[in-house]
Structures are given as C-alpha cells and as structure tokens.
Amino acid sequence: RWGGPPLVVRDVVVIGGLGGSPGENTGRQNGNQGDIRGFDVRTGKQLWKFRTVPRPGEFGNDSWLNDAWSYSGDVSVWGQLSADEELGYVYAPIETPNNNYYGGARPGNNLFAESLLCLDAMTGKRVWHFQAVHHGIWDWDFNSPPSLLDITVDGRKIKAVAEVSKQNFVYVFDRVTGQPVWPIEERPVPRGNVTLPLGT
C-alpha cells in the first residue's frame, strides 16, 4: 500500500511508497522500505524506482552504518507528493525510519529520511535533496505536501518550493536548484549513550 495519493506528471504516475508500516513505533525494525516508483500512465509499466533507503553503491548508502540499510524500514512518503509539470520534477516529503523514537539499531545520518527529495519524473533520478533532521528519533518528519510558489526576494524572481515541518518551521528552496532561499542553520546536538540489543 502507499500512504498518499499517486501523482501524474508528464505522463508518469508517481507513487510515494509504503507508509505507516507495522512496527513504526513499536521498537521493532522491519524491512518495509518506502521506495518511490514511476509508472507509464498508459501501459502501467514501471519506468523507475528510487530507493529512499539506498543500497550499496547508491548515493547515501554510507549514511546507514553497520548495514542498517538492510533491515530498516519506512522512509516513505505518507503524505502527498507535489510536482512541477514544466520542470518535470517531483517533490517528495519523506518520513522517519522505524523505529520512530529509537535510533540505536540504525546508526548514521539515515539519508533520505526526514528529507525533502526532488526527483526527475521521467527517470527517477535524484535532482537534489535537503535532510532536515540527521538520524531522527522524535518523528519530526515532513508530512505536508510541498507547496510550489513563484516569489520575489530582493527583486529576484524565484521558482520556489516550501515545506512545512512538524516543528512549524517553513523551509523554502529554489525548486530548480535546491538552494535555500533564506539561510538554514545546521546545529550539532550532543550524542547520547543509550543502547539496546538489536532486534528489541
């Protein structure tokens, strides 16, 4: 199943992947990963698949330490996708990996979790991404559909995309390049020392 409705852009049906899978908040890991897929609108043939939990050799796999990519799940679009038909880009708000409230079994930054991801609708290739929370443990994922806006900032016209977070922050990017319209400050947080045996 998928969490949000499919989206059609440039004759490609885009589905956001498995959402809200069992075990999300139970302390268990599951391998139900939320791959995003594109299908031909006329034939139904799958054209591409983007793995939101990257496999070895794929961009971002090194952010899932100790092979956590192989057993971690979710990282799906459980809200709504948005798309720019003119650009042919799809904007996907990505959720937290399981377990939502304990990350000891999935060390690393866990890309593409808790990210806004821009994909080429025809190929499924990553254009750009922004990860709001590295290694999330509080379920602070993106769940709102990205809003496409044409704005003017300091006299410059910008094709923008805005994403509202559960913290009530609004992240605004150039939807072509992924560059933040206004500065976004990265803040380090202290590391904890809580560990549980894998599989609990």
Side-chain angles (χ1 to χ4, degrees):
R1 66 184 170 85
W2 55 84
L7 180 87
V8 179
V9 56
R10 292 196 176 183
D11 291 339
V12 178
V13 180
V14 183
I15 297 176
L18 182 76
S21 61
E24 178 174 76
N25 299 318
T26 63
R28 297 191 313 270
Q29 299 301 116
N30 69 59
N32 298 325
Q33 296 171 351
D35 299 338
I36 302 170
R37 295 173 171 86
F39 299 87
D40 186 288
V41 74
R42 292 180 178 83
T43 68
K45 177 183 177 182
Q46 182 172 301
L47 302 174
W48 52 263
K49 176 168 67 173
F50 183 91
R51 293 186 175 99
T52 54
V53 178
R55 303 297 196 276
E58 296 176 344
F59 181 88
N61 174 262
D62 59 353
S63 71
W64 295 81
L65 305 181
N66 299 346
D67 293 331
W69 63 270
S70 66
Y71 52 78
S72 297
D74 294 335
V75 195
S76 64
V77 179
W78 68 269
Q80 280 185 258
L81 301 158
S82 296
D84 185 315
E85 179 78 21
E86 182 181 339
L87 292 173
Y89 289 171
V90 174
Y91 303 92
I94 310 292
E95 71 170 333
T96 306
N98 59 36
N99 176 294
N100 285 7
Y101 301 112
Y102 173 72
R106 48 172 173 83
N109 283 349
N110 303 151
L111 199 64
F112 292 92
E114 298 179 315
S115 297
L116 179 60
L117 175 64
C118 175
L119 300 176
D120 185 298
M122 302 302 293
T123 65
K125 301 294 185 185
R126 179 184 66 90
V127 179
W128 58 264
H129 74 275
F130 170 78
Q131 189 177 38
V133 180
H134 307 304
H135 188 83
I137 55 173
W138 297 111
D139 196 24
W140 290 123
D141 52 24
F142 288 141
N143 62 330
S144 301
S147 297
L148 307 187
L149 313 164
D150 293 329
I151 60 177
T152 302
V153 178
D154 296 330
R156 183 170 65 98
K157 293 183 178 179
I158 301 171
K159 295 170 73 70
V161 57
E163 179 63 33
V164 179
S165 75
K166 288 180 178 177
Q167 302 97 318
N168 294 319
F169 296 142
V170 180
Y171 297 89
V172 184
F173 305 92
D174 182 308
R175 69 178 181 260
V176 180
T177 66
Q179 290 299 310
V181 173
W182 292 283
I184 298 173
E185 180 185 355
E186 287 264 355
R187 292 184 182 177
V189 295
R191 292 185 58 164
N193 60 0
V194 175
T195 58
L196 289 175
L198 186 62
T200 60

